[in-house]
Amino acid sequence: MSTVLITGASSGFGRACAEKFAGGANKLILAARRQDRLEALRSKLSVQTEVHTMTLDVREREAVTDQLAALPEGFQDVDILINNAGLAKGLGGADSADLDDWEQMVDTNVKGLMYVTRAILPGMVARGGGHIVNLGSVAANWPYPGGNTYGGTKAFVQQFSRNMRADLSGKNIRISNVEPGMCETEFSVVRFNGDERQAEQVYAGMKPLSANDVAEIIHWVTALPPHININQLEVMPTAQSWSPFTVHREE
Ligand code: NDP
Ligand code: 8X3
């Protein structure tokens, strides 16, 4: 039986992963800030498997370190870490975006992911195995107006994932970076500060990925035989692709 730690398990990909991994031989540690949601999920999934929930803000370095060092008996040996907690805030241009939004994205997507990784990885190395799946994004690879800091945080996730592979050579630790495109979760509602109409417009008239699609992919990445490491997996809905370059022309 594997122990799977999922950050950001209260919604979207994290929640869908909890449901997917509960179906296999996995114990779950579910972390997020909204404990009420985690409790509801625990009630649902505990008929299938053992579930431990933790109220955790990944931006709080000390809390992350302390809480992950004090996991209860039976949940201490994390085999699979799904570093999923993250968000985009705003879509403003680099000259007008809110600096607080930028800071929240860096604190969550970059620093939070670092803190959780650093708390869990030494145990994996000591036990001689483990798998970390990081949630990157197409925004790491392709620029778009307003993607500025969000894309920058996911570019960090991409290179951090690769560099960790280099550090961990020979230690039997797998590191994968899954990079989805448009997926309808609470992501856009959060990005637009709770404006559900604006969020709906992002997916109007097209079929986005679902959280379950992404959970299937994450599960597949972890279920491959142990000698196979998916380094990077970019996935978009079929309806999403690229635009031509924008060329500014003088009148
Ligand atoms: P959701 O908004 O549905 O879920 C985000 C999750 O992250 C929530 O469970 C939220 O929990 C958690 N979270 C946010 N901030 C913190 C924090 N400070 N501490 C702990 N948990 C936190 O979005 P998605 O499921 O879509 O996003 C999951 C990941 O996937 C993110 O990293 C996102 O950047 C990435 N992604 C999303 C794509 C999309 O189109 N949806 C595409 C590509 C990547 P709570 O608020 O309870 O703390
Ligand atoms: C989320 C996908 O295209 O909104 O990471 O940046 S996108």
Side-chain angles (χ1 to χ4, degrees):
M1 177 166 274
S2 296
T3 300
V4 184
L5 165 59
I6 305 170
T7 67
S10 60
S11 170
F13 303 162
R15 184 192 162 92
C17 281
E19 295 187 339
K20 180 70 191 171
F21 280 82
N26 301 298
K27 287 192 257 190
L28 302 179
I29 304 167
L30 307 179
R33 292 167 300 178
R34 287 171 290 182
Q35 183 64 21
D36 53 334
R37 288 201 180 194
L38 295 181
E39 276 313 309
L41 192 54
R42 189 169 70 84
S43 304
K44 183 178 173 195
L45 299 181
S46 52
V47 292
Q48 284 173 278
T49 189
E50 290 174 66
V51 181
H52 173 66
T53 61
M54 14 184 348
T55 313
L56 189 69
D57 186 331
V58 297
R59 294 172 296 177
E60 292 175 9
R61 177 173 162 172
E62 254 183 57
V64 170
T65 309
D66 293 350
Q67 285 183 246
L68 292 177
L71 286 166
E73 189 72 32
F75 289 94
Q76 286 157 0
D77 297 344
V78 174
D79 302 292
I80 299 173
L81 163 61
I82 303 177
N83 259 330
N84 164 76
L87 76 181
K89 289 296 271 183
L91 204 53
D95 56 337
S96 60
D98 185 334
L99 205 48
D100 288 339
D101 286 347
W102 280 11
E103 213 154 47
Q104 188 176 356
M105 289 187 275
V106 171
D107 288 348
T108 310
N109 304 356
V110 175
K111 294 168 76 176
L113 184 138
M114 278 167 29
Y115 300 154
V116 175
T117 301
R118 194 60 185 75
I120 295 299
L121 191 52
M124 288 182 170
V125 171
R127 290 186 298 278
H131 195 161
I132 299 179
V133 181
N134 293 326
L135 262 295
S137 167
V138 295
N141 301 319
W142 314 107
Y144 60 82
N148 42 62
T149 295
Y150 179 69
T153 65
K154 294 303 185 179
F156 167 86
V157 172
Q158 180 181 103
Q159 195 63 7
F160 187 58
S161 303
R162 291 175 177 153
N163 281 333
M164 275 201 287
R165 286 224 66 215
D167 287 349
L168 295 162
S169 174
K171 295 198 160 54
N172 194 34
I173 311 285
R174 294 193 284 178
I175 310 282
S176 303
N177 174 28
V178 173
E179 301 182 313
M182 293 168 77
C183 181
E184 192 163 8
T185 58
E186 291 176 19
F187 176 83
S188 291
V189 178
V190 171
R191 175 171 242 172
F192 299 124
N193 289 318
D195 185 335
E196 295 192 5
R197 279 195 53 204
Q198 200 180 354
E200 271 170 27
Q201 281 162 16
V202 173
Y203 312 104
M206 57 86 67
K207 187 171 172 58
L209 301 173
S210 70
N212 287 339
D213 295 332
V214 176
E216 279 293 332
I217 290 165
I218 292 170
H219 185 264
W220 173 77
V221 164
T222 64
L224 288 166
H227 67 287
I228 302 175
N229 189 95
I230 300 292
N231 298 334
Q232 185 172 347
L233 192 160
E234 183 184 275
V235 51
M236 286 180 181
T238 307
Q240 183 180 20
S241 62
W242 301 272
S243 316
F245 286 119
T246 296
V247 180
H248 174 73
R249 301 183 195 280
E250 301 298 332
E251 293 289 319

